[in-house]
């Protein structure tokens, strides 16, 4: 199915947020584009929106007026579905309803030729189910763009049970030719991104629900320590709680109530209250004019370190050693298993266990765990979780140590896996599980999460940096401490750890 060239006519149905963006992407790649919307005037409005968006680029000097005119000139608004006949590929981006999508594709099959590829931009409907009503389900494929389509790199190419693999390959190649980063995925609930991303929201809400810390602090930690562009709470407020809660609930139900995807009561409360986020002026945050933005919790000055002992290798946190040296803090290295000692405090990277429990087991009351950072050298904030039995002097020493390295320090309650580590461990776990269930490859997980939701690093790659055995330990400790199936480690992660140990 390599018959798609830049001369191929691309049809787009639905000229809303996504359809207009997809039409722009196809036109930018040089295709003649036919744009159809069932609502009167909506097709033209979609085209006007494309022109309006591009004219901002022109006024910034990032695009010439001539290029804008050429691009917009390639998009023709049509007023009848029957005008789609010349299309070699039709991408559907209409209302998210199975019956209506089936009906539209059914009509298209009679309008277009046998070889026309029919693609759906659906986020949540089974491609297999859409195809079930078609004469040629082998020609149907998912082409899942992300919002805004002209900017976001990812396209999930979704195969239903009857999709011809050659069609999926053709759409993969076309997406790449359009400058996108395509990945293949099997039609399963949430596909890749909307499945693997669930823990980003869910773990944030778990930490807050359990009083680990507050919303603003959690967002600050995920950004300034975890390297994510947005924290989970501000992102949910932006997406809208009605939408985000509905996606979580649909994935949860589609996986037969697998506790891994269980929605949060915290979010349901916002939905019930009508606090849907930015669009209603209130969500986890208050967007009313003059409302004060809550600040993340930041510890006041601790005790400046006189010297530090580094026991063994710190693993993923090893860059801290160079930071210590750079800060001119006298440092002694001894054998051991990855600990920092400063005054009477002992610091360890979280392993998913309570600091309180680790302290008791080690017979060392002054144990304080620190969180995972994307990059310890550049992170501007770090979380510390002292054991319940830790003395104030030890907490002050731990706080002072990280402050001496130029970081804001946040003290959180003793929550298993802390903030960043448990989020990343659960994201990677979901990525391994999607791979294990044949949804996609490990590489596709990483490409999807970076290209679809801007994660600073693919979760599987990140887990390998942390060390798969360490990530497995975090998950096993979370599972033990919560006694919930939600935290069960993916068999594939377990197998990869076993393989790595060979
Ligand atoms: P939208 O509401 O902005 O646009 C939908 C357009 O389709 C409207 O202009 C409507 O008049 C038109 N339409 C509805 N029924 C039609 C029909 N039978 N024939 C022709 N046109 C029809 O919706 P949006 O956000 O663009 O979503 C469209 C599709 O893309 C949905 O399947 C959605 O799940 C999917 N999607 C949405 C994303 C988003 O972030 N908004 C991201 C990725 C996928």
């Amino acid at each position: 199915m390599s018959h798609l060239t830049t001369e191929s006519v691309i049809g787009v149905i639905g000229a809303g947020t996504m359809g207009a963006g997809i039409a722009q992407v196809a036109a930018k790649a040089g295709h003649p584009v036919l744009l159809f919307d069932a609502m009167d005037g909506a097709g033209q409005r979609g085209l006007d929106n494309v022109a309006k968006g591009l004219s901002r680029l022109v006024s910034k000097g990032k695009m010439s007026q001539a290029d804008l005119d050429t691009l917009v000139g390639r998009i023709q608004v049509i007023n009848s579905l029957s005008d789609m006949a010349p299309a070699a590929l039709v991408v559907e981006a209409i209302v998210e309803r199975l019956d209506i999508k089936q009906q539209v594709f059914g009509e298209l099959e009679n309008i277009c030729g046998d070889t026309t590829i029919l693609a759906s931009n659906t986020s949540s409907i089974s491609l297999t189910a859409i195809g079930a009503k078609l004469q040629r389900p082998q020609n149907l494929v998912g082409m899942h763009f992300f919002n805004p389509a002209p900017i976001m790199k990812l396209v999930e190419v979704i195969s239903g049970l009857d999709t011809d693999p050659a069609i999926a390959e053709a759409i993969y190649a076309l997406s790449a030719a359009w400058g996108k980063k395509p990945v293949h995925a099997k039609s399963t609930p949430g596909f890749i991104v909307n499945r693997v991303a669930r823990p980003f929201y869910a773990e944030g809400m778990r930490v807050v629900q359990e009083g680990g810390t507050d919303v603003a602090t959690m967002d600050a930690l995920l950004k300034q320590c975890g390297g994510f562009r947005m924290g989970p709470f501000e992102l949910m407020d932006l997406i809208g709680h009605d939408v985000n809660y509905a996606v979580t609930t649909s994935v949860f139900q589609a996986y037969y109530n697998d506790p891994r995807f269980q929605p949060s009561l915290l979010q349901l409360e916002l939905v019930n209250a009508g606090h849907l986020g930015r669009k209603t002026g209130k969500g986890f945050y208050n967007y009313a004019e003059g409302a004060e933005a809550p600040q993340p919790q930041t510890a006041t000055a601790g005790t400046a370190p006189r010297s530090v002992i580094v026991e063994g290798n710190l693993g993923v946190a090893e860059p801290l050693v160079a930071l210590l040296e750079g800060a001119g803090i006298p440092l002694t290295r001894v054998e051991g298993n990855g600990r920092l000692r400063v005054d009477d405090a002992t610091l360890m990277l979280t392993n998913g266990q309570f600091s309180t429990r680790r302290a008791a087991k080690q017979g060392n009351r002054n144990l304080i765990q620190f969180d995972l950072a994307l990059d310890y050298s550049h992170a501007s904030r770090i979380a510390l979780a002292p054991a319940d039995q830790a003395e104030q002097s030890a907490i002050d020493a731990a706080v002072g140590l990280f402050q001496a390295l130029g970081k804001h320090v946040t003290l959180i309650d003793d929550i298993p896996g802390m903030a960043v580590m448990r989020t990343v461990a659960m994201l990677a776990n979901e990525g391994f599980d999607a791979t294990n269930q044949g949804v996609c490859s490990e590489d596709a997980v990483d490409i999807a999460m970076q290209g679809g939701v801007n994660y600073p690093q693919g979760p599987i790659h990140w887990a390998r940096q942390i060390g798969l055995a360490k990530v497995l330990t975090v998950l096993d400790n979370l599972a033990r401490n919560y006694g919930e199936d939600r935290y069960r480690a993916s068999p594939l992660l377990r197998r990869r750890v076993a393989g790595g140990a060979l």
Side-chain angles (χ1 to χ4, degrees):
M1 293 301 299
S2 55
H3 65 278
L4 292 170
T5 66
T6 44
E7 276 86 57
S8 303
V9 175
I10 308 296
V12 178
I13 304 189
T17 311
M18 294 307 291
I22 295 165
Q24 179 181 326
V25 171
K28 173 139 192 273
H31 297 269
V33 178
L34 300 174
L35 180 61
F36 174 74
D37 197 290
M39 214 213 292
D40 252 2
Q44 189 56 47
R45 261 201 310 281
L47 182 54
D48 292 346
N49 286 337
V50 171
K52 209 157 72 189
L54 292 174
S55 63
R56 264 180 244 132
L57 295 183
V58 173
S59 58
K60 282 189 201 155
K62 290 185 175 164
M63 187 185 201
S64 71
Q65 184 64 41
D67 285 349
L68 181 155
D69 293 339
T70 308
L71 194 162
V72 170
R74 289 192 190 119
I75 304 175
Q76 184 193 344
V77 175
I78 58 173
N79 295 315
S80 164
L81 203 58
S82 54
D83 294 336
M84 277 297 175
L89 161 69
V90 181
V91 186
E92 165 275 313
I94 65 168
V95 59
E96 189 73 336
R97 266 184 51 187
L98 174 62
D99 55 340
I100 301 182
K101 289 193 196 280
Q102 283 174 331
Q103 187 203 327
V104 168
F105 281 120
E107 285 176 41
L108 277 173
E109 279 195 312
N110 295 323
I111 294 165
C112 300
D114 288 1
T115 57
T116 298
I117 300 177
L118 303 179
S120 175
N121 182 49
T122 180
S123 301
S124 62
I125 299 176
S126 158
L127 268 297
T128 305
I130 300 174
K133 288 279 160 71
L134 300 187
Q135 304 161 48
R136 297 184 292 275
Q138 68 275 14
N139 284 2
L140 179 75
V141 64
M143 195 174 188
H144 187 210
F145 289 83
F146 288 74
N147 188 13
I151 292 173
M152 300 306 287
K153 285 279 178 213
L154 181 65
V155 175
E156 291 179 334
V157 180
I158 315 294
S159 291
L161 204 57
D162 292 321
T163 303
D164 180 350
I167 298 264
E169 281 308 331
I171 292 302
Y172 183 100
L174 184 74
S175 304
W178 287 0
K180 296 296 178 188
K181 285 223 156 101
V183 291
H184 283 292
K186 202 161 78 180
S187 184
T188 46
F191 309 141
I192 305 174
V193 169
N194 280 335
R195 170 195 186 147
V196 176
R198 298 322 327 140
F200 185 68
Y201 315 107
E203 292 312 309
M205 289 189 282
R206 287 292 291 252
V207 170
V208 167
Q209 194 172 20
E210 292 170 22
T213 188
D214 56 54
V215 162
T217 306
M218 197 64 191
D219 276 349
L221 285 170
L222 269 295
K223 286 188 290 184
Q224 297 168 17
C225 184
F228 289 89
R229 271 197 214 174
M230 290 181 84
F233 297 96
E234 54 184 353
L235 183 51
M236 283 184 279
D237 270 4
L238 180 69
I239 293 169
H241 294 287
D242 48 347
V243 174
N244 190 261
Y245 182 77
V247 174
T248 304
T249 306
S250 93
V251 171
F252 176 58
Q253 286 167 353
Y255 282 105
Y256 303 107
N257 295 3
D258 187 333
R260 192 114 88 198
F261 305 110
Q262 192 176 62
S264 168
L265 289 176
L266 217 57
Q267 192 171 32
L268 176 62
E269 276 295 273
L270 293 180
V271 173
N272 285 341
H275 297 170
L276 303 182
R278 277 183 182 271
K279 62 187 171 192
T280 62
K282 201 171 185 186
F284 282 112
Y285 296 97
N286 185 354
Y287 299 93
E289 237 187 83
E292 221 170 286
Q295 295 305 307
Q297 289 179 29
T298 303
T300 52
T303 311
R306 281 167 302 178
S307 63
V308 177
I309 299 169
V310 179
E311 294 185 3
N313 190 287
L314 301 181
V316 71
E318 187 64 17
L320 286 174
V321 175
L323 275 188
L324 287 163
E325 285 165 348
I329 301 165
L331 181 151
T332 319
R333 289 204 84 147
V334 297
E335 300 266 301
N337 55 353
R339 282 191 274 212
L340 287 167
R341 286 184 190 272
V342 55
D343 291 340
D344 43 3
T346 301
L347 286 139
M348 296 185 88
L349 175 64
T350 176
N351 70 349
Q353 188 50 272
F354 288 106
S355 297
T356 303
R357 174 90 205 277
R358 257 183 137 175
K361 259 181 103 175
Q362 294 182 14
N364 172 2
R365 65 185 297 189
N366 288 326
L367 188 92
I368 296 161
Q369 294 192 97
F370 59 89
D371 206 352
L372 174 69
L374 172 67
D375 169 358
Y376 284 93
S377 311
H378 297 103
S380 59
R381 182 175 294 273
I382 189 89
L384 301 179
D388 289 350
Q389 56 274 55
E391 292 165 300
Q392 191 58 47
S393 58
I395 298 172
D396 291 343
V399 168
L401 177 67
F402 279 99
Q403 287 171 337
L405 303 182
K407 320 247 178 249
H408 293 299
V409 179
T410 290
L411 289 165
I412 67 170
D413 200 15
D414 188 13
I415 291 276
M418 301 185 69
V420 181
M421 180 64 101
R422 71 188 273 160
T423 301
V424 171
M426 284 294 278
L427 290 171
N429 197 38
E430 206 48 57
F432 277 112
D433 226 34
T435 310
N436 196 45
Q437 291 165 13
V439 175
C440 60
S441 66
E442 288 176 37
D443 284 348
V445 168
D446 282 353
I447 292 169
M449 302 319 286
Q450 289 183 283
V453 271
N454 286 325
Y455 285 2
Q457 179 137 245
I460 289 187
H461 177 76
W462 202 341
R464 290 192 190 285
Q465 273 188 346
I466 300 164
L468 295 186
K470 291 223 163 50
V471 173
L472 180 59
T473 302
V474 169
L475 291 165
D476 282 345
N477 279 327
L478 284 167
R480 206 167 295 137
N481 287 320
Y482 283 102
E484 282 177 55
D485 216 25
R486 176 188 194 91
Y487 296 102
R488 70 184 187 279
S490 169
L492 182 59
L493 171 59
R494 225 173 262 292
R495 179 173 155 198
R496 293 276 181 264
V497 171
L502 286 176

